Amino acid sequence: MNRILVIEDDTEILENIEEVLELQSFRALTAKDSSMGLELAKTERPDLVICDVIMPNVDGYSVLNQLRQDEETAAIPFIFLTGKSERSEVRLGMELGADDYLTKPFTNEELVRAVQSCLNRQMRLERRYEAQEREIASLKAQLQTAQELAGMSNALLQKLSQGLRHPISNMTIGTHMLRQNLSQADLDRYIAILEEECASGASLLNEISSLQEYLHPSKLNLLRGKLKSRNPLI
């Protein structure tokens, strides 16, 4: 149930608005002066404020200005009630951030239409804001995923470099030794070393190649598992 705060020093008008709102299944909060209205706005956080322009002590413009200055009440929709003689001053209220105004006397239908219009507009704004928040959250998640993938790609390259360094070093030494005048036993031993290191390097390259297919955001969790489970890349 939407809560609507009505600030009006004319008791008859105040009670009439309250009755109309209650009949439309709104919850009406009423205040006969600005101070009471401001207090209710801060404590009750209504969905809409309807406020008279001309009131003793603090006028409607000051009420609106104070609400807009407070972060907790700044976004509450606001409708001015104004007499015909004050209609030319409505522009001031709109510039201060009012959403609409009703000129006295107004019909019950005009009141309900104005209230519903403001609430609908506010609902659309909130939905748009929520959609933007979801979009921002999605973009942040995509960025985080991309950064994580980039980190994993770097980790793969580092592991590849580290994993190949030892076999290549041994193959270099083995190749050099094969050029020496070796006995058959030493020759066989170095050939075996070269074969072993070639197999080790090939295995590591195959490991990296098989992991490349997981370098996609949709397979990030699978990639995490692969990196944890495959010994050459731990």
Side-chain angles (χ1 to χ4, degrees):
M1 180 183 295
N2 292 111
R3 295 174 301 167
I4 301 175
L5 171 60
V6 185
I7 308 173
E8 170 62 70
D9 60 326
D10 187 310
T11 303
E12 184 177 350
I13 295 176
L14 182 63
E15 291 177 351
N16 179 65
I17 294 175
E18 180 182 13
E19 181 180 356
V20 173
L21 294 176
E22 296 287 352
L23 287 173
Q24 295 296 319
S25 299
F26 296 115
R27 181 188 170 194
L29 309 170
T30 60
K32 295 183 179 180
D33 60 64
S34 302
S35 298
M36 183 186 302
L38 286 168
E39 184 64 27
L40 281 173
K42 293 176 182 180
T43 58
E44 296 294 332
R45 299 289 297 278
D47 299 295
L48 173 66
V49 174
I50 299 175
C51 182
D52 191 15
V53 172
I54 304 300
M55 290 184 294
N57 300 322
V58 179
D59 62 17
Y61 299 128
S62 298
V63 171
L64 174 58
N65 187 53
Q66 290 187 49
L67 292 179
R68 292 294 183 258
Q69 294 300 316
D70 189 325
E71 184 176 338
E72 294 185 353
T73 59
I76 299 176
F78 195 100
I79 296 177
F80 269 128
L81 300 179
T82 177
K84 288 184 177 180
S85 61
E86 305 144 15
R87 188 168 180 174
S88 60
E89 301 177 12
V90 167
R91 176 50 49 193
L92 173 59
M94 303 302 281
E95 290 173 356
L96 288 173
D99 296 272
D100 204 349
Y101 70 94
L102 284 169
T103 303
K104 302 176 187 177
F106 49 83
T107 66
N108 294 345
E109 290 75 14
E110 289 174 331
L111 171 64
V112 172
R113 282 201 303 269
V115 167
Q116 199 61 62
S117 177
C118 272
L119 292 176
N120 290 341
R121 188 183 308 118
Q122 183 69 7
M123 184 181 299
R124 288 194 297 271
L125 289 173
E126 289 175 356
R127 287 176 178 172
R128 185 181 305 170
Y129 175 78
E130 290 171 358
Q132 290 174 344
E133 286 292 298
R134 288 194 297 270
E135 184 177 355
I136 291 173
S138 175
L139 290 173
K140 286 182 178 179
Q142 292 176 31
L143 177 60
Q144 183 176 353
T145 298
Q147 291 173 337
E148 190 170 353
L149 282 172
M152 289 184 176
S153 297
N154 289 333
L156 288 175
L157 291 174
Q158 290 175 2
K159 292 295 182 180
L160 175 60
S161 175
Q162 294 170 4
L164 288 177
R165 187 174 293 117
H166 182 70
I168 290 174
S169 176
N170 284 342
M171 284 188 286
T172 301
I173 294 173
T175 301
H176 173 73
M177 294 303 298
L178 288 176
R179 295 192 179 96
Q180 309 303 314
N181 187 17
L182 301 173
S183 65
Q184 187 61 44
D186 287 336
L187 182 63
D188 292 341
R189 184 164 64 87
Y190 282 114
I191 290 175
I193 290 174
L194 286 173
E195 289 175 342
E196 181 180 348
E197 297 300 347
C198 285
S200 176
S203 175
L204 182 58
L205 288 173
N206 289 334
E207 189 79 14
I208 295 295
S209 178
S210 68
L211 285 173
Q212 286 179 339
E213 63 179 291
Y214 293 95
L215 292 176
H216 187 277
S218 63
K219 297 183 178 180
L220 183 59
N221 289 330
L222 291 174
L223 179 60
R224 292 193 189 102
K226 291 288 183 181
L227 287 174
K228 289 180 180 178
S229 64
R230 296 178 182 241
N231 291 334
L233 298 179
I234 290 178

